[in-house]
PDB file of all heavy atoms in Angstrom:
ATOM      1  N   LEU G 272      28.383 -38.871 -20.507  1.00 98.00           N
ATOM      2  CA  LEU G 272      28.181 -39.864 -19.440  1.00 98.00           C
ATOM      3  C   LEU G 272      28.042 -39.179 -18.085  1.00 98.00           C
ATOM      4  O   LEU G 272      27.140 -39.504 -17.305  1.00 98.00           O
ATOM      5  CB  LEU G 272      29.339 -40.878 -19.424  1.00 98.00           C
ATOM      6  CG  LEU G 272      29.244 -41.962 -18.354  1.00 98.00           C
ATOM      7  CD1 LEU G 272      28.016 -42.841 -18.544  1.00 98.00           C
ATOM      8  CD2 LEU G 272      30.515 -42.828 -18.350  1.00 98.00           C
ATOM      9  N   SER G 273      28.909 -38.217 -17.803  1.00 98.00           N
ATOM     10  CA  SER G 273      28.793 -37.540 -16.501  1.00 98.00           C
ATOM     11  C   SER G 273      27.490 -36.750 -16.427  1.00 98.00           C
ATOM     12  O   SER G 273      26.887 -36.633 -15.349  1.00 98.00           O
ATOM     13  CB  SER G 273      30.022 -36.665 -16.213  1.00 98.00           C
ATOM     14  OG  SER G 273      30.238 -35.695 -17.196  1.00 98.00           O
ATOM     15  N   ALA G 274      27.012 -36.244 -17.558  1.00 98.00           N
ATOM     16  CA  ALA G 274      25.724 -35.542 -17.575  1.00 98.00           C
ATOM     17  C   ALA G 274      24.571 -36.492 -17.254  1.00 98.00           C
ATOM     18  O   ALA G 274      23.658 -36.156 -16.494  1.00 98.00           O
ATOM     19  CB  ALA G 274      25.507 -34.894 -18.945  1.00 98.00           C
ATOM     20  N   ILE G 275      24.627 -37.692 -17.828  1.00 98.00           N
ATOM     21  CA  ILE G 275      23.588 -38.704 -17.551  1.00 98.00           C
ATOM     22  C   ILE G 275      23.582 -39.028 -16.050  1.00 98.00           C
ATOM     23  O   ILE G 275      22.528 -39.097 -15.410  1.00 98.00           O
ATOM     24  CB  ILE G 275      23.836 -39.974 -18.395  1.00 98.00           C
ATOM     25  CG1 ILE G 275      23.597 -39.689 -19.884  1.00 98.00           C
ATOM     26  CG2 ILE G 275      22.960 -41.133 -17.921  1.00 98.00           C
ATOM     27  CD1 ILE G 275      24.095 -40.794 -20.831  1.00 98.00           C
ATOM     28  N   LEU G 276      24.766 -39.205 -15.489  1.00 98.00           N
ATOM     29  CA  LEU G 276      24.863 -39.546 -14.062  1.00 98.00           C
ATOM     30  C   LEU G 276      24.345 -38.397 -13.187  1.00 98.00           C
ATOM     31  O   LEU G 276      23.659 -38.632 -12.187  1.00 98.00           O
ATOM     32  CB  LEU G 276      26.315 -39.884 -13.688  1.00 98.00           C
ATOM     33  CG  LEU G 276      26.902 -41.114 -14.400  1.00 98.00           C
ATOM     34  CD1 LEU G 276      28.386 -41.282 -14.055  1.00 98.00           C
ATOM     35  CD2 LEU G 276      26.136 -42.383 -14.050  1.00 98.00           C
ATOM     36  N   ALA G 277      24.639 -37.163 -13.585  1.00 98.00           N
ATOM     37  CA  ALA G 277      24.166 -36.005 -12.810  1.00 98.00           C
ATOM     38  C   ALA G 277      22.645 -35.921 -12.865  1.00 98.00           C
ATOM     39  O   ALA G 277      21.994 -35.646 -11.850  1.00 98.00           O
ATOM     40  CB  ALA G 277      24.794 -34.722 -13.355  1.00 98.00           C
ATOM     41  N   GLU G 278      22.076 -36.174 -14.041  1.00 98.00           N
ATOM     42  CA  GLU G 278      20.611 -36.123 -14.158  1.00 98.00           C
ATOM     43  C   GLU G 278      19.963 -37.226 -13.313  1.00 98.00           C
ATOM     44  O   GLU G 278      18.994 -36.983 -12.592  1.00 98.00           O
ATOM     45  CB  GLU G 278      20.187 -36.237 -15.630  1.00 98.00           C
ATOM     46  CG  GLU G 278      18.678 -36.112 -15.793  1.00 98.00           C
ATOM     47  CD  GLU G 278      18.232 -35.701 -17.197  1.00 98.00           C
ATOM     48  OE1 GLU G 278      19.080 -35.592 -18.103  1.00 98.00           O
ATOM     49  OE2 GLU G 278      17.024 -35.486 -17.359  1.00 98.00           O
ATOM     50  N   GLU G 279      20.526 -38.442 -13.373  1.00 98.00           N
ATOM     51  CA  GLU G 279      19.957 -39.541 -12.582  1.00 98.00           C
ATOM     52  C   GLU G 279      20.062 -39.256 -11.086  1.00 98.00           C
ATOM     53  O   GLU G 279      19.206 -39.672 -10.305  1.00 98.00           O
ATOM     54  CB  GLU G 279      20.670 -40.861 -12.917  1.00 98.00           C
ATOM     55  CG  GLU G 279      20.312 -41.378 -14.291  1.00 98.00           C
ATOM     56  CD  GLU G 279      20.815 -42.791 -14.565  1.00 98.00           C
ATOM     57  OE1 GLU G 279      21.630 -43.314 -13.765  1.00 98.00           O
ATOM     58  OE2 GLU G 279      20.394 -43.372 -15.583  1.00 98.00           O
ATOM     59  N   ALA G 280      21.118 -38.555 -10.685  1.00 98.00           N
ATOM     60  CA  ALA G 280      21.304 -38.254  -9.258  1.00 98.00           C
ATOM     61  C   ALA G 280      20.328 -37.190  -8.759  1.00 98.00           C
ATOM     62  O   ALA G 280      20.102 -37.067  -7.557  1.00 98.00           O
ATOM     63  CB  ALA G 280      22.743 -37.808  -9.000  1.00 98.00           C
ATOM     64  N   GLY G 281      19.746 -36.420  -9.692  1.00 98.00           N
ATOM     65  CA  GLY G 281      18.707 -35.471  -9.280  1.00 98.00           C
ATOM     66  C   GLY G 281      19.088 -34.002  -9.305  1.00 98.00           C
ATOM     67  O   GLY G 281      18.399 -33.173  -8.695  1.00 98.00           O
ATOM     68  N   PHE G 282      20.161 -33.643 -10.005  1.00 98.00           N
ATOM     69  CA  PHE G 282      20.519 -32.222 -10.084  1.00 98.00           C
ATOM     70  C   PHE G 282      19.536 -31.452 -10.978  1.00 98.00           C
ATOM     71  O   PHE G 282      18.850 -32.046 -11.807  1.00 98.00           O
ATOM     72  CB  PHE G 282      21.956 -32.067 -10.596  1.00 98.00           C
ATOM     73  CG  PHE G 282      22.975 -32.456  -9.554  1.00 98.00           C
ATOM     74  CD1 PHE G 282      23.530 -33.726  -9.541  1.00 98.00           C
ATOM     75  CD2 PHE G 282      23.328 -31.564  -8.547  1.00 98.00           C
ATOM     76  CE1 PHE G 282      24.439 -34.100  -8.555  1.00 98.00           C
ATOM     77  CE2 PHE G 282      24.232 -31.933  -7.562  1.00 98.00           C
ATOM     78  CZ  PHE G 282      24.791 -33.196  -7.564  1.00 98.00           C
ATOM     79  N   ASP G 283      19.520 -30.140 -10.784  1.00 98.00           N
ATOM     80  CA  ASP G 283      18.588 -29.289 -11.543  1.00 98.00           C
ATOM     81  C   ASP G 283      19.155 -28.855 -12.882  1.00 98.00           C
ATOM     82  O   ASP G 283      18.424 -28.368 -13.749  1.00 98.00           O
ATOM     83  CB  ASP G 283      18.269 -28.020 -10.746  1.00 98.00           C
ATOM     84  CG  ASP G 283      17.702 -28.329  -9.374  1.00 98.00           C
ATOM     85  OD1 ASP G 283      16.678 -29.040  -9.329  1.00 98.00           O
ATOM     86  OD2 ASP G 283      18.278 -27.882  -8.366  1.00 98.00           O
ATOM     87  N   GLY G 284      20.480 -28.940 -13.040  1.00 98.00           N
ATOM     88  CA  GLY G 284      21.100 -28.482 -14.275  1.00 98.00           C
ATOM     89  C   GLY G 284      22.553 -28.917 -14.320  1.00 98.00           C
ATOM     90  O   GLY G 284      23.074 -29.514 -13.365  1.00 98.00           O
ATOM     91  N   LEU G 285      23.187 -28.625 -15.449  1.00 98.00           N
ATOM     92  CA  LEU G 285      24.574 -29.039 -15.686  1.00 98.00           C
ATOM     93  C   LEU G 285      25.461 -27.819 -15.874  1.00 98.00           C
ATOM     94  O   LEU G 285      25.036 -26.822 -16.463  1.00 98.00           O
ATOM     95  CB  LEU G 285      24.644 -29.909 -16.946  1.00 98.00           C
ATOM     96  CG  LEU G 285      23.785 -31.177 -16.932  1.00 98.00           C
ATOM     97  CD1 LEU G 285      23.725 -31.783 -18.340  1.00 98.00           C
ATOM     98  CD2 LEU G 285      24.321 -32.191 -15.931  1.00 98.00           C
ATOM     99  N   TRP G 286      26.674 -27.943 -15.422  1.00 98.00           N
ATOM    100  CA  TRP G 286      27.688 -26.888 -15.596  1.00 98.00           C
ATOM    101  C   TRP G 286      28.701 -27.395 -16.612  1.00 98.00           C
ATOM    102  O   TRP G 286      29.415 -28.379 -16.344  1.00 98.00           O
ATOM    103  CB  TRP G 286      28.348 -26.632 -14.243  1.00 98.00           C
ATOM    104  CG  TRP G 286      29.573 -25.768 -14.158  1.00 98.00           C
ATOM    105  CD1 TRP G 286      30.768 -26.139 -13.601  1.00 98.00           C
ATOM    106  CD2 TRP G 286      29.730 -24.381 -14.523  1.00 98.00           C
ATOM    107  NE1 TRP G 286      31.655 -25.081 -13.612  1.00 98.00           N
ATOM    108  CE2 TRP G 286      31.047 -23.992 -14.177  1.00 98.00           C
ATOM    109  CE3 TRP G 286      28.886 -23.437 -15.117  1.00 98.00           C
ATOM    110  CZ2 TRP G 286      31.535 -22.704 -14.404  1.00 98.00           C
ATOM    111  CZ3 TRP G 286      29.383 -22.157 -15.345  1.00 98.00           C
ATOM    112  CH2 TRP G 286      30.677 -21.801 -14.990  1.00 98.00           C
ATOM    113  N   ALA G 287      28.719 -26.795 -17.790  1.00 98.00           N
ATOM    114  CA  ALA G 287      29.724 -27.161 -18.799  1.00 98.00           C
ATOM    115  C   ALA G 287      31.009 -26.437 -18.416  1.00 98.00           C
ATOM    116  O   ALA G 287      31.322 -25.357 -18.914  1.00 98.00           O
ATOM    117  CB  ALA G 287      29.245 -26.777 -20.188  1.00 98.00           C
ATOM    118  N   SER G 288      31.723 -27.050 -17.504  1.00 98.00           N
ATOM    119  CA  SER G 288      32.871 -26.428 -16.823  1.00 98.00           C
ATOM    120  C   SER G 288      34.117 -26.378 -17.701  1.00 98.00           C
ATOM    121  O   SER G 288      34.515 -27.384 -18.290  1.00 98.00           O
ATOM    122  CB  SER G 288      33.165 -27.267 -15.563  1.00 98.00           C
ATOM    123  OG  SER G 288      34.487 -27.083 -15.114  1.00 98.00           O
ATOM    124  N   GLY G 289      34.732 -25.220 -17.759  1.00 98.00           N
ATOM    125  CA  GLY G 289      35.993 -25.097 -18.479  1.00 98.00           C
ATOM    126  C   GLY G 289      37.117 -25.833 -17.770  1.00 98.00           C
ATOM    127  O   GLY G 289      37.975 -26.453 -18.407  1.00 98.00           O
ATOM    128  N   PHE G 290      37.083 -25.797 -16.458  1.00 98.00           N
ATOM    129  CA  PHE G 290      38.110 -26.496 -15.671  1.00 98.00           C
ATOM    130  C   PHE G 290      38.049 -27.991 -15.934  1.00 98.00           C
ATOM    131  O   PHE G 290      39.069 -28.646 -16.177  1.00 98.00           O
ATOM    132  CB  PHE G 290      37.906 -26.203 -14.180  1.00 98.00           C
ATOM    133  CG  PHE G 290      38.883 -26.920 -13.304  1.00 98.00           C
ATOM    134  CD1 PHE G 290      40.133 -26.385 -13.051  1.00 98.00           C
ATOM    135  CD2 PHE G 290      38.564 -28.148 -12.732  1.00 98.00           C
ATOM    136  CE1 PHE G 290      41.058 -27.054 -12.255  1.00 98.00           C
ATOM    137  CE2 PHE G 290      39.469 -28.835 -11.945  1.00 98.00           C
ATOM    138  CZ  PHE G 290      40.727 -28.286 -11.703  1.00 98.00           C
ATOM    139  N   GLU G 291      36.818 -28.558 -15.889  1.00 98.00           N
ATOM    140  CA  GLU G 291      36.681 -30.011 -16.060  1.00 98.00           C
ATOM    141  C   GLU G 291      37.085 -30.440 -17.466  1.00 98.00           C
ATOM    142  O   GLU G 291      37.758 -31.460 -17.640  1.00 98.00           O
ATOM    143  CB  GLU G 291      35.242 -30.458 -15.753  1.00 98.00           C
ATOM    144  CG  GLU G 291      34.889 -30.298 -14.289  1.00 98.00           C
ATOM    145  CD  GLU G 291      34.067 -31.452 -13.716  1.00 98.00           C
ATOM    146  OE1 GLU G 291      33.674 -32.358 -14.475  1.00 98.00           O
ATOM    147  OE2 GLU G 291      33.834 -31.445 -12.499  1.00 98.00           O
ATOM    148  N   LEU G 292      36.668 -29.671 -18.470  1.00 98.00           N
ATOM    149  CA  LEU G 292      37.011 -30.079 -19.841  1.00 98.00           C
ATOM    150  C   LEU G 292      38.523 -29.949 -20.069  1.00 98.00           C
ATOM    151  O   LEU G 292      39.139 -30.819 -20.700  1.00 98.00           O
ATOM    152  CB  LEU G 292      36.231 -29.261 -20.868  1.00 98.00           C
ATOM    153  CG  LEU G 292      36.342 -29.788 -22.305  1.00 98.00           C
ATOM    154  CD1 LEU G 292      35.771 -31.203 -22.427  1.00 98.00           C
ATOM    155  CD2 LEU G 292      35.657 -28.866 -23.304  1.00 98.00           C
ATOM    156  N   SER G 293      39.124 -28.892 -19.521  1.00 98.00           N
ATOM    157  CA  SER G 293      40.583 -28.751 -19.631  1.00 98.00           C
ATOM    158  C   SER G 293      41.270 -29.955 -19.004  1.00 98.00           C
ATOM    159  O   SER G 293      42.188 -30.553 -19.589  1.00 98.00           O
ATOM    160  CB  SER G 293      41.055 -27.469 -18.933  1.00 98.00           C
ATOM    161  OG  SER G 293      40.429 -26.344 -19.486  1.00 98.00           O
ATOM    162  N   ALA G 294      40.819 -30.321 -17.800  1.00 98.00           N
ATOM    163  CA  ALA G 294      41.425 -31.464 -17.100  1.00 98.00           C
ATOM    164  C   ALA G 294      41.245 -32.745 -17.907  1.00 98.00           C
ATOM    165  O   ALA G 294      42.150 -33.591 -17.963  1.00 98.00           O
ATOM    166  CB  ALA G 294      40.811 -31.612 -15.708  1.00 98.00           C
ATOM    167  N   LEU G 295      40.076 -32.873 -18.545  1.00 98.00           N
ATOM    168  CA  LEU G 295      39.817 -34.074 -19.356  1.00 98.00           C
ATOM    169  C   LEU G 295      40.848 -34.193 -20.478  1.00 98.00           C
ATOM    170  O   LEU G 295      41.251 -35.294 -20.840  1.00 98.00           O
ATOM    171  CB  LEU G 295      38.404 -33.993 -19.938  1.00 98.00           C
ATOM    172  CG  LEU G 295      37.845 -35.282 -20.520  1.00 98.00           C
ATOM    173  CD1 LEU G 295      37.566 -36.311 -19.426  1.00 98.00           C
ATOM    174  CD2 LEU G 295      36.559 -35.003 -21.285  1.00 98.00           C
ATOM    175  N   TYR G 296      41.274 -33.049 -21.022  1.00 98.00           N
ATOM    176  CA  TYR G 296      42.301 -33.040 -22.063  1.00 98.00           C
ATOM    177  C   TYR G 296      43.713 -33.044 -21.482  1.00 98.00           C
ATOM    178  O   TYR G 296      44.692 -32.919 -22.229  1.00 98.00           O
ATOM    179  CB  TYR G 296      42.119 -31.812 -22.974  1.00 98.00           C
ATOM    180  CG  TYR G 296      41.036 -31.989 -24.021  1.00 98.00           C
ATOM    181  CD1 TYR G 296      39.797 -31.389 -23.887  1.00 98.00           C
ATOM    182  CD2 TYR G 296      41.267 -32.774 -25.152  1.00 98.00           C
ATOM    183  CE1 TYR G 296      38.809 -31.550 -24.842  1.00 98.00           C
ATOM    184  CE2 TYR G 296      40.289 -32.938 -26.121  1.00 98.00           C
ATOM    185  CZ  TYR G 296      39.064 -32.329 -25.953  1.00 98.00           C
ATOM    186  OH  TYR G 296      38.090 -32.495 -26.903  1.00 98.00           O
ATOM    187  N   GLY G 297      43.826 -33.110 -20.140  1.00 98.00           N
ATOM    188  CA  GLY G 297      45.144 -33.092 -19.514  1.00 98.00           C
ATOM    189  C   GLY G 297      45.820 -31.738 -19.631  1.00 98.00           C
ATOM    190  O   GLY G 297      47.050 -31.643 -19.685  1.00 98.00           O
ATOM    191  N   LEU G 298      45.005 -30.679 -19.680  1.00 98.00           N
ATOM    192  CA  LEU G 298      45.539 -29.319 -19.844  1.00 98.00           C
ATOM    193  C   LEU G 298      45.153 -28.442 -18.658  1.00 98.00           C
ATOM    194  O   LEU G 298      44.079 -28.636 -18.078  1.00 98.00           O
ATOM    195  CB  LEU G 298      44.958 -28.681 -21.117  1.00 98.00           C
ATOM    196  CG  LEU G 298      45.431 -29.255 -22.448  1.00 98.00           C
ATOM    197  CD1 LEU G 298      44.579 -28.708 -23.585  1.00 98.00           C
ATOM    198  CD2 LEU G 298      46.912 -28.925 -22.667  1.00 98.00           C
TER     199      LEU G 298
END
Side-chain angles (χ1 to χ4, degrees):
L272 180 62
S273 58
I275 292 168
L276 297 175
E278 183 159 5
E279 288 190 349
F282 287 96
D283 303 304
L285 302 168
W286 170 235
S288 158
F290 178 85
E291 292 220 355
L292 190 62
S293 302
L295 194 69
Y296 280 104
L298 290 169

